[in-house]
Amino acid sequence: AENDRLKVELGVRQTYEWMTTDATVVQANAENGRRMIRIDRGRLDGVQLGMPVVAKEGGSPASLVGIVDALYAQTSDVLLITDYGSSVSAHTTQPVRARGLVIGQWQVGSRIKLVDVDPMAPLAPGDYIVTSGLSKGLATDTPMAKVPANIPIGTVMGVDRTNHTQSAEVQPFVDPDRVRNVWVITGQK
């Protein structure tokens, strides 16, 4: 199992230009209705508030599962992207990008949703969604200052359009509730 985990980690490091620290989920909970996990890396390991946390399962790309939200000496709490308090700037990977915010929807019976998309932007089922790296400027409640661009998030499942905006249901590439091994992105090469 450890050999398999190390092979996956090597693949992640070779595929993306991220510097990472591997971590293990030591506790998964919905404390106070929040979707959080606790990992076994903290301040002493170089982890900082706002760092993105990615995971990989099966043939999926390494994908965003959460953001470091609370920091301790040897552990960190990660706010999952499915939590209603999570919002990350994102866009499609199409040549003409549809830009918006990916927000958590777990508490209202869904997973994640891309919202505040320009109604004229092309957006369709099957589009891939990645981070935009703009979250610091959005003044969201979570410390998103360290989220780089182009971290995979998920795939558009369905689109809702109105005259003034459009939104999309998004299926995450990785189910944040099932992850056991993760990587904290500590920087870029």
Side-chain angles (χ1 to χ4, degrees):
E2 183 178 353
N3 191 29
D4 289 341
R5 185 182 56 77
L6 290 173
K7 284 180 185 177
V8 170
E9 182 175 352
L10 179 61
V12 167
R13 288 185 179 181
Q14 290 174 339
T15 303
Y16 303 97
E17 294 186 3
W18 303 330
M19 292 183 290
T20 61
T21 297
D22 68 312
T24 301
V25 175
V26 294
Q27 183 180 357
N29 61 12
E31 186 176 304
N32 298 327
R34 305 295 305 272
R35 303 302 300 163
M36 308 280 286
I37 57 174
R38 180 163 288 166
I39 58 174
D40 67 349
R41 298 284 187 254
R43 186 179 304 108
L44 297 176
D45 302 295
V47 175
Q48 298 175 11
L49 287 176
M51 286 183 166
V53 177
V54 298
K56 184 171 173 30
E57 64 182 1
S60 75
S63 305
L64 185 68
V65 293
I67 306 292
V68 174
D69 191 59
L71 190 60
Y72 310 101
Q74 297 178 341
T75 61
S76 301
D77 288 344
V78 177
L79 180 67
L80 298 178
I81 62 171
T82 53
D83 185 84
Y84 72 92
S86 173
S87 62
V88 178
S89 62
H91 63 268
T92 60
T93 57
Q94 307 298 9
V96 177
R97 296 177 174 172
R99 299 179 187 278
L101 285 176
V102 168
I103 59 171
Q105 295 286 291
W106 182 82
Q107 288 85 342
V108 293
S110 185
R111 304 289 285 167
I112 58 177
K113 194 170 191 174
L114 180 67
V115 298
D116 297 333
V117 179
D118 183 324
M120 301 305 291
L123 186 62
D127 287 352
Y128 279 41
I129 306 295
V130 298
T131 60
S132 291
L134 303 173
S135 298
K136 181 177 181 178
L138 296 174
T140 58
D141 290 339
T142 52
M144 303 285 183
K146 298 181 182 7
V147 179
N150 299 315
I151 300 173
I153 297 175
T155 305
V156 171
M157 301 303 291
V159 178
D160 293 322
R161 289 184 173 87
T162 67
N163 291 336
H164 304 292
T165 189
Q166 61 181 330
S167 62
E169 290 292 325
V170 178
Q171 176 67 44
F173 287 124
V174 174
D175 184 347
D177 293 326
R178 294 197 312 226
V179 297
R180 296 297 164 251
N181 298 305
V182 298
W183 295 275
V184 180
I185 299 177
T186 57
Q188 291 187 288
K189 296 176 187 175

